[in-house]
Amino acid sequence: MSPILSLLSLVLIATTFLKPFLASSQGSPPSPGYSPSSRFGDVSFNQEFNNLWGHQHQSLDQQGLLTIWLDTSSGSGFKSIHPYQSGYFGASIKLQPGYTAGVITSFYLSNNEAYPGHHDEIDIEFLGTTPSEPYTLQTNVYIEGSGDGNKIGREMKFHLWFDPTQDYHNYAFLWTPNEIVFLVDDVPIRWYKNRGGTTFPTRPMWVYGSIWDASSWATDNGKYKADYRYEPFVGRYRNFKVEGCAADGSPGPCSPTSVSPSRAGGLSPQQNEAMQWVQRNYKVYDYCTDPKRDHGLTPEC
């Protein structure tokens, strides 16, 4: 082998092994200048949630750390006790390293049990990956209030500027009658505005979390499946934050919630600058720019 080919081979090998770390090459985002998570106190898991399924695959320690896992027999999920009409919802989450292809670890709002087949949903989903690739954080908004059953996803996907398997990071979303804001460590990564019509979820939803096998689509559109030689697949949650307007008449304060320092909705200029930086450097998919999508179904684009 010639010296040039040897050098090219070494570069190719190095690039393959370093690929998971290259997503962090852009550094950290500029400060958003405001920390909405510090405004809301933590709530205990038992105070706000119940096990929904896979109770034998769920454990809660004395420090409030919830662990859920997936193996060949089952995954696991939890659900808030109350439905909400709006609010700020978050948790600190740590993901499993190594081979997690086909596995979804999630934190989201939904009313699927109340409106099966035409529900609304606001998602934070971590798409499992292979050791040579970074995790993908998928945000999504479903609106099916018309009852037509047409499930139209509004996906925006990101890589992260850190390794989400090494420590806990705060993932949250704000949902109000006017906007949805997705945040990672208080940095807004996506802002979805209510533009009227049928493009915005308005019906009450519950808060959920889960880990489950989505091999048919989660990793490279199903190219890589869950491999149970690596089980159990584990998701860890702590520092739950639920500050919302309950929709079932349960007692408790209900005041307008915002993630903006002005508390008037929207984002501050500094928050918007941080969001634009993340989207320039780490956004890897946007449904509005996908030429394969029928944008007549997503008029907000």
Side-chain angles (χ1 to χ4, degrees):
M1 181 180 294
S2 70
I4 293 176
L5 289 177
S6 296
L7 179 60
L8 290 174
S9 297
L10 287 172
V11 171
L12 179 61
I13 292 170
T15 302
T16 300
F17 280 97
L18 289 174
K19 196 170 184 179
F21 306 102
L22 295 180
S24 299
S25 62
Q26 300 297 329
S28 298
S31 170
Y34 187 64
S35 175
S37 65
S38 65
R39 294 185 53 223
F40 308 116
D42 295 348
V43 297
S44 68
F45 178 80
N46 289 331
Q47 178 184 345
E48 279 293 338
F49 299 96
N50 285 324
N51 171 264
L52 181 63
W53 58 284
H55 69 278
Q56 293 181 333
H57 291 70
Q58 191 173 117
S59 68
L60 183 68
D61 70 15
Q62 294 183 342
Q63 285 71 48
L65 170 62
L66 176 74
T67 302
I68 60 176
W69 62 92
L70 166 71
D71 61 24
T72 50
S73 64
S74 179
S76 187
F78 57 90
K79 177 185 177 181
S80 65
I81 297 170
H82 305 291
Y84 291 91
Q85 188 62 58
S86 63
Y88 174 92
F89 310 94
S92 293
I93 302 172
K94 185 178 180 181
L95 303 176
Q96 177 164 315
Y99 189 101
T100 56
V103 178
I104 296 291
T105 308
S106 65
F107 187 70
Y108 62 103
L109 291 174
S110 178
N111 51 30
N112 183 54
E113 292 176 275
Y115 303 100
H118 54 98
H119 68 287
D120 308 297
E121 198 162 301
I122 301 171
D123 292 333
I124 289 176
E125 297 176 305
F126 299 97
L127 310 186
T129 189
T130 60
S132 63
E133 298 290 341
Y135 264 95
T136 297
L137 170 60
Q138 174 170 281
T139 65
N140 206 348
V141 179
Y142 287 129
I143 303 99
E144 300 187 47
S146 64
D148 58 13
N150 293 321
K151 193 173 185 180
I152 302 168
R154 290 166 163 85
E155 302 92 344
M156 190 178 286
K157 302 177 184 180
F158 302 84
H159 290 158
L160 296 165
W161 52 95
F162 53 83
D163 183 347
T165 72
Q166 295 300 303
D167 205 351
Y168 291 88
H169 292 268
N170 181 257
Y171 306 92
F173 43 81
L174 172 80
W175 171 45
T176 76
N178 300 315
E179 63 185 346
I180 300 167
V181 183
F182 296 87
L183 305 106
V184 176
D185 288 340
D186 289 320
V187 177
I189 63 170
R190 180 181 182 182
W191 179 61
Y192 185 89
K193 185 179 179 181
N194 185 351
R195 292 178 171 84
T198 59
T199 65
F200 197 85
T202 59
R203 297 178 295 179
M205 291 188 273
W206 286 259
V207 191
Y208 292 83
S210 62
I211 189 166
W212 56 289
D213 186 333
S215 289
S216 63
W217 63 271
T219 308
D220 286 356
N221 295 317
K223 179 180 179 180
Y224 299 99
K225 315 292 185 183
D227 187 338
Y228 288 96
R229 291 177 298 174
Y230 299 100
E231 69 173 38
F233 302 102
V234 177
R236 295 178 173 87
Y237 300 70
R238 69 183 189 188
N239 305 122
F240 292 96
K241 295 180 185 295
V242 176
E243 184 78 14
C245 295
D248 59 358
S250 58
C254 181
S255 57
T257 306
S258 173
V259 294
S260 168
S262 70
R263 302 192 181 184
L267 301 175
S268 71
Q270 195 169 349
Q271 287 178 312
N272 187 65
E273 180 185 356
M275 182 181 70
Q276 294 302 324
W277 184 94
V278 171
Q279 294 196 2
R280 283 195 307 271
N281 290 292
Y282 291 99
K283 184 173 68 174
V284 295
Y285 177 83
D286 186 338
Y287 73 106
C288 278
T289 59
D290 185 344
K292 298 178 181 179
R293 298 289 296 267
D294 179 357
H295 297 298
L297 300 175
T298 54
E300 70 277 4
C301 293

